[in-house]
Amino acid sequence: MLQRHSLKLGKFSIRTLATGAPLDASKLKITRNPNPSKPRPNEELVFGQTFTDHMLTIPWSAKEGWGTPHIKPYGNLSLDPSACVFHYAFELFEGLKAYRTPQNTITMFRPDKNMTRMNKSAARICLPTFESEELIKLTGKLIEQDKHLVPQGNGYSLYIRPTMIGTSKGLGVGTPSEALLYVITSPVGPYYKTGFKAVRLEATDYATRAWPGGVGDKKLGANYAPCILPQLQAAERGYQQNLWLFGPEKNITEVGTMNVFFVFLNKVTGKKELVTAPLDGTILEGVTRDSVLTLARDKLDPQEWDINERYYTITEVATRAQQGELLEAFGSGTAAVVSPIKEIGWNNEDIHVPLLPGEQCGALTKQVAQWIADIQYGRVNYGNWSKTVADLN
Ligand code: COI
């Protein structure tokens, strides 16, 4: 069977070919872990350090298409040392979370967005695309297996890591003929245990995270490893993360592994502006980024606020800070949701970003975090952003 998928990649709409059987959740096979674990106390949960009892694996081959989805005990993979993932970085991943709600259900937050992005990442590196709804169903089944390990409480959740790797043997560089899609899950606590902690950034023009025509908008493992050395270099100078600049204009693009937002005041009109870089192919299509923009456009008064996806530079930030027009800045991502910024090192000086008196963030940052948490924890319904995967009643 030959399936045709059409995916929008940057300016181009490309047709991807997936040969063989489609991904089919009804074929699921389950092998239970004979040694189920007990939930750890919330205070012991460290991001991505412990995993639940089960994992989901789905093999793919060019000849057969998607094979049998299998939920089985969490454990090592066995791969040929020549597998293309190890040599040519045929790897992509996603990150999303599941939450326990006051109605005693478990929900995933906007999983459709992650599936769409995962398919775009797969198409870009010639790994197979798949039926998004089927992987959402299968991930739901995986979470249901380990539902006792989904933590309870504000700030606590189950981090879900769908991953796809090319597994074809051999050192020739080409399209993988075999792949493995797998999903693992990790019970996690709040990124900042004691509430927000605003971070210091080094504006970075000595290394480039992404560039036009590249793959910075895809969630490929290969985008992450090269960013560690600049982070260590910034850390030597006392900064926790890099504020990634691009081009001779020194456009602000992202921060660390997150999208980034700035809030400016126009002193002439009195209007405030929430700004983030446009999705021009160099910016990851963050689900939290989209959630911030959607909620801000929905909830903030347009008489008082402009919400813009536009280019802006470190020079604009520095100048407007001097003029008292820089109000706030924060990173956005699945892991931390929002991460407030307090200082930016640039040209041997620190640009100071205001914080609320006695607090670690600005007013909008706090508001946005609350809006998103209320939806994630099921205190507020918003569109179809929460997808129920288990009803524990
Ligand atoms: C996120 O902010 O959710 C990320 O993508 C970080 C992840 C690579 C740990």
Side-chain angles (χ1 to χ4, degrees):
M1 188 195 306
L2 194 67
Q3 308 148 54
R4 287 179 192 281
H5 295 243
S6 179
L7 277 175
K8 206 163 157 39
L9 281 180
K11 276 186 247 167
F12 308 101
S13 184
I14 63 154
R15 302 192 96 189
T16 62
L17 288 184
T19 50
L23 177 56
D24 181 355
S26 71
K27 291 187 184 157
L28 175 65
K29 181 175 135 196
I30 300 180
T31 309
R32 291 219 164 80
N33 189 324
N35 303 306
S37 59
K38 290 210 168 64
R40 280 168 193 260
N42 275 356
E43 55 282 7
E44 281 181 20
L45 299 177
V46 180
F47 182 84
Q49 288 300 309
T50 53
F51 296 91
T52 59
D53 296 339
H54 295 90
M55 65 195 286
L56 166 72
T57 59
I58 318 160
W60 175 90
S61 72
K63 216 161 134 210
E64 307 284 334
W66 288 105
T68 306
H70 192 182
I71 290 176
K72 60 187 180 190
Y74 185 95
N76 292 350
L77 301 175
S78 175
L79 296 176
D80 192 282
S82 74
C84 60
V85 58
F86 297 132
H87 302 273
Y88 308 123
F90 284 98
E91 193 272 355
L92 60 99
F93 67 95
E94 275 301 320
L96 67 160
K97 285 177 173 170
Y99 300 84
R100 243 174 225 275
T101 71
Q103 298 77 34
N104 211 21
T105 59
I106 296 173
T107 61
M108 281 193 275
F109 183 69
R110 310 192 75 184
D112 50 319
K113 299 290 282 181
N114 293 86
M115 296 303 130
T116 302
R117 189 172 65 184
M118 191 168 176
N119 267 311
K120 288 187 190 176
S121 298
R124 181 62 183 83
I125 58 170
C126 300
L127 283 173
T129 55
F130 57 89
E131 291 65 22
S132 293
E133 264 309 312
E134 299 302 294
L135 189 58
I136 293 175
K137 277 188 223 160
L138 289 164
T139 305
K141 297 273 182 214
L142 175 67
I143 295 166
E144 219 177 342
Q145 271 314 303
D146 288 333
K147 56 184 182 244
H148 63 295
L149 299 174
V150 179
Q152 181 131 38
N154 217 13
Y156 294 87
S157 60
L158 186 73
Y159 184 79
I160 305 161
R161 174 53 65 90
T163 310
M164 201 194 297
I165 56 177
T167 53
S168 313
K169 293 176 206 166
L171 298 181
V173 184
T175 312
S177 57
E178 288 179 16
L180 181 71
L181 195 170
Y182 65 90
V183 183
I184 53 175
T185 62
S186 169
V188 296
Y191 214 73
Y192 304 104
K193 290 246 177 231
T194 49
F196 285 138
K197 236 186 162 54
V199 293
R200 303 182 72 224
L201 309 179
E202 184 174 72
T204 303
D205 62 354
Y206 54 86
T208 305
R209 193 200 78 88
W211 45 87
V215 290
D217 58 339
K218 306 293 182 294
K219 214 152 172 74
L220 307 182
N223 280 333
Y224 290 76
C227 293
I228 302 301
L229 181 61
Q231 189 189 348
L232 294 179
Q233 290 165 336
E236 271 173 19
R237 293 182 280 267
Y239 299 97
Q240 284 110 317
Q241 292 291 348
N242 306 88
L243 180 64
W244 301 110
L245 306 181
F246 180 76
E249 305 83 6
K250 309 210 183 292
N251 284 329
I252 292 180
T253 61
E254 295 196 13
V255 56
T257 61
M258 307 174 95
N259 296 117
V260 67
F261 287 84
F262 280 74
V263 182
F264 298 118
L265 170 71
N266 183 327
K267 277 193 165 167
V268 179
T269 62
K271 238 178 155 183
K272 286 184 259 189
E273 185 191 16
L274 176 65
V275 187
T276 196
L279 299 178
D280 64 355
T282 68
I283 303 293
L284 190 82
E285 296 177 19
V287 179
T288 312
R289 175 189 181 278
D290 182 81
S291 304
V292 171
L293 288 170
T294 304
L295 290 166
R297 286 184 175 127
D298 186 18
K299 292 178 185 293
L300 296 175
D301 182 351
Q303 306 287 336
E304 291 173 27
W305 283 90
D306 285 320
I307 320 289
N308 289 327
E309 293 165 75
R310 68 165 173 89
Y311 291 110
Y312 63 110
T313 65
I314 189 69
T315 314
E316 175 177 353
V317 168
T319 310
R320 297 190 75 170
Q322 270 171 8
Q323 294 165 346
E325 288 199 333
L326 172 60
L327 298 186
E328 290 179 52
F330 61 91
S332 72
T334 297
V337 186
V338 294
S339 174
I341 296 161
K342 65 178 175 189
E343 258 162 3
I344 303 166
W346 173 241
N347 273 347
N348 300 316
E349 284 185 20
D350 282 333
I351 301 169
H352 294 275
V353 186
L355 300 173
L356 286 168
E359 299 200 39
Q360 285 286 310
C361 67
L364 184 71
T365 310
K366 196 170 172 176
Q367 176 74 82
V368 162
Q370 188 66 50
W371 286 335
I372 295 180
D374 281 344
I375 300 166
Q376 289 175 329
Y377 286 93
R379 296 185 289 263
V380 168
N381 256 329
Y382 196 84
N384 56 359
W385 283 12
S386 289
K387 164 123 187 124
T388 302
V389 292
D391 190 336
L392 311 177
N393 293 295

